Amino acid sequence: MCNFVYYETAFFFLISGILLFSCSGSKSVATPPHAISLQVNEKTTYKNVVITLKEINESRCPMNARCIRAGEAVAVLNVVVDGKTERNVQLCTGVDCERRSLNSAYALSLEDQKYLFRLDSITPDPTKTLEKPVQRAYISLEQSK
């Protein structure tokens, strides 16, 4: 019985030490992406970027429906950087995005600045609910040099 308690205690301290030393070596902390929630025709500003959700094209198959294809939802963003460079960006979520060659993320490089737009979701998701509240696009935006 005494040997078991000794080994159990030694094992606990060994694992604790390994975890402590492995965590202490990490020096860089990732900056979390900026979360954005937009309705159609709503705009927001992040640093030098103005983002407007122009439209949402919803074609995901509703729950309890029989559909030929699963569908996708596309958020169309108008992105203006420094008040001069303007782009329309399409971000897609859903099963058929790949078939339509649409991505859920878009990398934008302008001069020495890089931005990554990622579509997290579009609500309501008709595959999960029959509710019809106002549609919203949830986007993450990261900036790197």
Side-chain angles (χ1 to χ4, degrees):
M1 177 78 173
C2 289
N3 285 342
F4 177 75
V5 172
Y6 172 77
Y7 288 120
E8 185 179 40
T9 306
F11 181 73
F12 171 78
F13 283 112
L14 177 67
I15 295 300
S16 298
I18 291 172
L19 290 174
L20 180 66
F21 287 116
S22 66
C23 292
S24 66
S26 41
K27 293 180 180 161
S28 65
V29 176
T31 304
H34 180 70
I36 300 168
S37 170
L38 295 171
Q39 295 177 7
V40 174
N41 294 321
E42 189 176 10
K43 70 172 60 174
T44 189
T45 302
Y46 173 73
K47 296 187 180 181
N48 60 335
V49 181
V50 178
I51 303 154
T52 307
L53 178 61
K54 298 307 275 181
E55 63 183 288
I56 293 176
N57 300 313
E58 176 67 72
S59 72
R60 294 176 286 186
C61 184
M63 66 184 292
N64 303 328
R66 299 178 82 191
C67 301
I68 295 172
R69 64 184 192 88
E72 71 283 326
V74 178
V76 180
L77 306 174
N78 179 264
V79 178
V80 179
V81 181
D82 290 328
K84 56 187 176 194
T85 304
E86 184 174 358
R87 296 250 168 87
N88 283 327
V89 175
Q90 291 187 7
L91 301 176
C92 186
T93 184
V95 176
D96 287 338
C97 293
E98 187 175 323
R99 181 185 63 77
R100 292 197 51 215
S101 299
L102 295 170
N103 297 311
S104 64
Y106 179 80
L108 177 62
S109 296
L110 295 169
E111 296 174 11
D112 64 337
Q113 298 178 354
K114 296 178 184 177
Y115 302 91
L116 178 64
F117 297 84
R118 182 175 310 281
L119 179 61
D120 297 323
S121 66
I122 293 178
T123 62
D125 185 342
T127 66
K128 298 177 182 169
T129 183
L130 296 175
E131 293 180 29
K132 295 286 184 191
V134 175
Q135 289 183 308
R136 295 192 78 78
Y138 296 87
I139 301 154
S140 301
L141 175 59
E142 295 179 63
Q143 181 182 8
S144 62
K145 294 244 177 201

